[in-house]
Amino acid sequence: RIAAVSAPQRLSAANRAQPTVLVQPSSGQRIADELHSTATALQQSTQNALTGVGRLQVADSILNEVTRLLDDAVVLATEVATGTVTADQRTEFDALFTAIKEQINHIGTHTTFDGAPVFSSTPFSVSISDGTAATQIAATIGELSSSGDDSDSLVNLGTSGLTTTADAVSALTSINTAIGRVAALQGTLEATFHELSGALKVVYNRV
């Protein structure tokens, strides 16, 4: 026999028998979520672009200083290469040339931006996204060292000093090569800077 069920019990049983209904978010809520996601992506992209621009500006400023040091080195090497200076002058010029190389090494080792080395052979990449699609803008600044055994360095001044005319001629070739490489890199960094600046303007218009 089926036992009789009182009214409250019947109501409880009926409630348990009802299927679970999943409430779908309204179209308005979905749009709000998408807008929030887009805004978050654009804000992060703004920060990424500003960081990239700042790093490039620091690198360019430092490279201007490196070029000035290299120009000074050209003057010293040219004087010795002419063979018209005395032995004491060669010794003095060699010491100045060594000091220039040490200063370049110091710059390459100690220049940082946002806690990271500016001069590195590891590429850095900036991600720009609107929440649906992303673009990567990458650049490699390169290492900065005057050491003759560092073939990957942007500025490789070899191992020659300025103690002899022949050494000065060799050093002069290395210095001029370094000046050309620095100028070429600055051109590349300028192009990347303009690319990032353009992306930043687009992001600003959408934030």
Side-chain angles (χ1 to χ4, degrees), residues 13-140:
N15 286 340
R16 289 196 300 270
Q18 292 296 322
T20 300
V21 178
L22 298 177
V23 178
Q24 298 295 330
S26 66
S27 60
Q29 182 62 49
R30 286 197 300 272
I31 292 173
D33 291 342
E34 291 172 359
L35 289 174
H36 176 73
S37 176
T38 298
T40 300
L42 290 173
Q43 289 171 355
Q44 184 61 55
S45 294
T46 299
Q47 183 58 52
N48 293 347
L50 288 173
T51 299
V53 165
R55 184 169 183 173
L56 292 174
Q57 288 175 326
V58 169
D60 186 65
S61 176
I62 293 298
L63 289 174
N64 286 335
E65 174 63 14
V66 170
T67 297
R68 186 190 66 77
L69 290 170
L70 292 173
D71 287 341
D72 289 344
V74 167
V75 174
L76 296 173
T78 301
E79 286 290 331
V80 178
T82 60
T84 59
V85 297
T86 66
D88 288 343
Q89 287 175 318
R90 285 198 300 271
T91 300
E92 179 185 353
F93 289 174
D94 182 62
L96 292 172
F97 183 49
T98 298
I100 287 173
K101 292 192 287 185
E102 290 174 349
Q103 191 168 350
I104 291 173
N105 289 339
H106 181 81
I107 290 172
T109 302
H110 293 87
T111 302
T112 62
F113 179 80
D114 201 25
V118 169
F119 295 99
S120 171
S121 58
T122 302
F124 76 92
S125 181
V126 176
S127 177
I128 306 295
S129 173
D130 62 0
T132 58
T135 298
Q136 300 292 326
I137 300 175
T140 301

